[in-house]
Amino acid sequence: MKRKLQVMTTLLIIALIINGLATAPCTAAEPPSQLQNPQTDSRELQLQDMLVLQLLPYMNEQLEAAYFSLLTTTPQLYPYLVQVEQVERLNGFRGFDFQITLRAFPTVGPHNSVGEDLFTYRISTSQIKLINYKHLKEPKQHNIPPNDLDMRRKSK
């Protein structure tokens, strides 16, 4: 009986420790302040998020090329760090030719922000085409921790 009590107490302590570690605060960088963070879900937000998920591969491809001269690693783009700026129907009501503008905040390492980019895509039934890409902000040295500074390419 005493042995069972010791085992149960030990398991309870281990469970509490593991639970405490699992709920420890995250030390990753906060999302950029320009990013709107909705507090409730909506049908519109769900549809925007689905669209962002479909466009992420295209956006990552463009980021890889744009950041090649700035970073030694390809930045990551997470869906929650992409904001839909504008959506427009190009051929009237119920037309299926859209133009969408997205603001993105790519990261490296443990979510260290390395810039800001603006993408404009044209989406129709037959294609997804990048219309405009604008690199708005460069990686700043103070955004990258000292142990990850080797991710920045040296300026010439």
Side-chain angles (χ1 to χ4, degrees), residues 65-126:
Y67 282 81
F68 179 78
S69 64
L70 303 170
L71 300 170
T72 60
T73 184
T74 302
Q76 296 295 307
L77 189 55
Y78 296 97
Y80 54 87
L81 293 176
V82 176
Q83 178 178 339
V84 176
E85 293 284 310
Q86 181 181 7
V87 177
E88 179 183 354
R89 282 186 195 264
L90 298 178
N91 57 347
F93 178 69
R94 294 297 293 185
F96 295 93
D97 193 5
F98 295 91
Q99 184 168 302
I100 182 168
T101 303
L102 305 150
R103 184 175 302 270
F105 301 91
T107 63
V108 294
H111 298 248
N112 299 310
S113 180
V114 290
E116 182 178 344
D117 301 272
L118 205 59
F119 298 84
T120 302
Y121 286 97
R122 184 172 182 175
I123 303 171
S124 64
T125 55
S126 61

Side-chain angles (χ1 to χ4, degrees), residues 15-56:
L16 289 173
I17 290 171
I18 290 173
N19 187 38
L21 292 175
T23 59
C26 179
T27 58
E30 288 292 317
S33 58
Q34 307 92 315
L35 201 58
Q36 297 172 1
N37 287 319
Q39 300 301 311
T40 57
D41 203 5
S42 68
R43 180 98 170 156
E44 180 182 4
L45 184 60
Q46 290 171 350
L47 293 171
Q48 284 183 6
D49 288 348
M50 284 188 276
L51 182 57
V52 166
L53 284 175
Q54 295 305 308
L55 291 174
L56 271 179

Side-chain angles (χ1 to χ4, degrees), residues 1-16:
M1 181 67 171
K2 189 174 182 181
R3 177 84 173 136
K4 283 185 180 179
L5 184 59
Q6 286 176 335
V7 169
M8 292 298 288
T9 304
T10 304
L11 289 174
L12 181 61
I13 291 171
I14 290 171
L16 289 173

